[in-house]
Amino acid sequence: MDTNPNLQYLETAHCVADSARNIARQWFRRSFDIRIKADGSPVTTADVEVESAARSVILERHPEHRFFGEETGHSGRSREWMWIVDPIDGTRSFVTGKPTFGTLIALLHRGVPIIGIIDQAVLDERWVGIAGSPTTLNGNPCSTSRIPRLCKARLCITTPDMFDSIQKEKVNALSERCSFRTFGGDCYNYGLLASGYSDLICEADLKPYDYCAMVPIIEGAGGTITDWQGKALGVDSSGEVVAAASRTLHEEALSVLNRQ
């Protein structure tokens, strides 16, 4: 019998991912309503339906828990347990028919992410991270590349638009030291890093629903993920995120990002 207390909530996380997968497949590359939010980002029928389903599953199973969704905010009272869901991370990719979007599901205990899921519906891929356990892709253990140096690293960035002028200078300095960089990918980049296909991710202007699920996934695959100052990620983090395939690579990236 497995004594890991985190596993009692894993079934709920999978149920949320299953419901999200069905809805995302129903709407992908179909006609749907698109609304532009105040921050300039799009939201679709799929975003709304996935989040509604996720909220229903979680609060029915765990009414004492807190729920935080990108589209509808907070509900519930618990300060100890919080579920954070991004129904369609990469909505722009979803709208333009690219299969690099995903549903992100995180469970935090006293502010620390202990369960994370990236579910890519149309490619039938699901990364699962549980604190203290190896990360899996579709049930099979996966691992980062463990690349130790920037000169060998493949850097992934969703978009240069996420950086202000000062951040952009730092990221350019970082990318100059890497083997090469690519743009695009959204949450899918983190799954690929956990599986060893890329080595470094550097992003900014992220929200808790963008990065909390990534913490147990990257760490359970052998990588390191923090903010740009090397601090652990939580609900109140700055939104600057760097994820690396190894601790030495992460340290080297932080050194460049914080160089005066």
Side-chain angles (χ1 to χ4, degrees), residues 18-233:
D18 289 343
S19 65
R21 178 174 286 202
N22 291 334
I23 296 168
R25 283 176 171 172
Q26 173 188 342
W27 288 109
F28 186 60
R29 295 181 180 172
R30 303 287 177 87
S31 177
F32 46 73
D33 293 332
I34 304 171
R35 175 174 56 86
I36 303 301
K37 295 188 287 188
D39 64 1
S41 63
V43 59
T44 71
T45 304
D47 293 86
V48 174
E49 290 188 4
V50 168
E51 185 161 318
S52 177
R55 182 187 296 271
S56 295
V57 170
I58 289 169
L59 294 183
E60 179 179 344
R61 285 170 168 258
H62 312 290
E64 74 282 9
H65 286 192
R66 191 169 181 83
F67 179 91
F68 176 23
E70 177 181 5
E71 308 305 336
T72 56
H74 293 267
S75 62
R77 299 179 182 179
S78 175
R79 295 185 178 181
E80 184 174 6
W81 297 98
M82 177 185 285
W83 294 84
I84 301 181
V85 174
D86 190 341
I88 303 288
D89 181 87
T91 302
R92 290 181 177 87
S93 294
F94 186 85
V95 166
T96 53
K98 300 181 183 74
T100 55
F101 68 92
T103 296
L104 303 182
I105 304 157
L107 175 62
L108 282 65
H109 183 234
R110 295 176 179 166
V112 178
I114 61 169
I115 291 178
I117 287 182
I118 303 170
D119 189 75
Q120 211 309 311
V122 296
L123 298 179
D124 191 26
E125 293 178 322
R126 182 177 298 176
W127 285 269
V128 178
I130 307 170
S133 299
T135 295
T136 61
L137 169 59
N138 292 349
N140 299 309
C142 59
S143 174
T144 66
S145 67
R146 309 297 173 95
I147 290 291
R149 298 297 306 278
L150 284 176
C151 62
K152 301 282 189 179
R154 299 159 290 185
L155 171 64
C156 294
I157 300 166
T158 294
T159 172
D161 295 339
M162 60 175 39
F163 306 117
D164 62 28
S165 59
I166 295 175
Q167 292 168 335
K168 193 169 293 186
E169 288 182 8
K170 293 181 177 183
V171 172
N172 285 339
L174 179 65
S175 64
E176 287 172 359
R177 290 163 172 79
C178 293
S179 176
F180 61 83
R181 71 179 179 183
T182 65
F183 290 107
D186 305 297
C187 63
Y188 198 63
N189 284 335
Y190 293 84
L192 294 177
L193 191 151
S195 292
Y197 297 111
S198 64
D199 313 299
L200 186 64
I201 298 169
C202 186
E203 303 197 299
D205 196 31
L206 301 185
K207 303 298 187 293
Y209 41 76
D210 295 313
Y211 59 74
C212 282
M214 310 310 185
V215 175
I217 291 172
I218 297 301
E219 292 180 347
T224 302
I225 179 169
T226 67
D227 69 10
W228 288 16
Q229 284 69 50
K231 297 177 182 177
L233 295 173

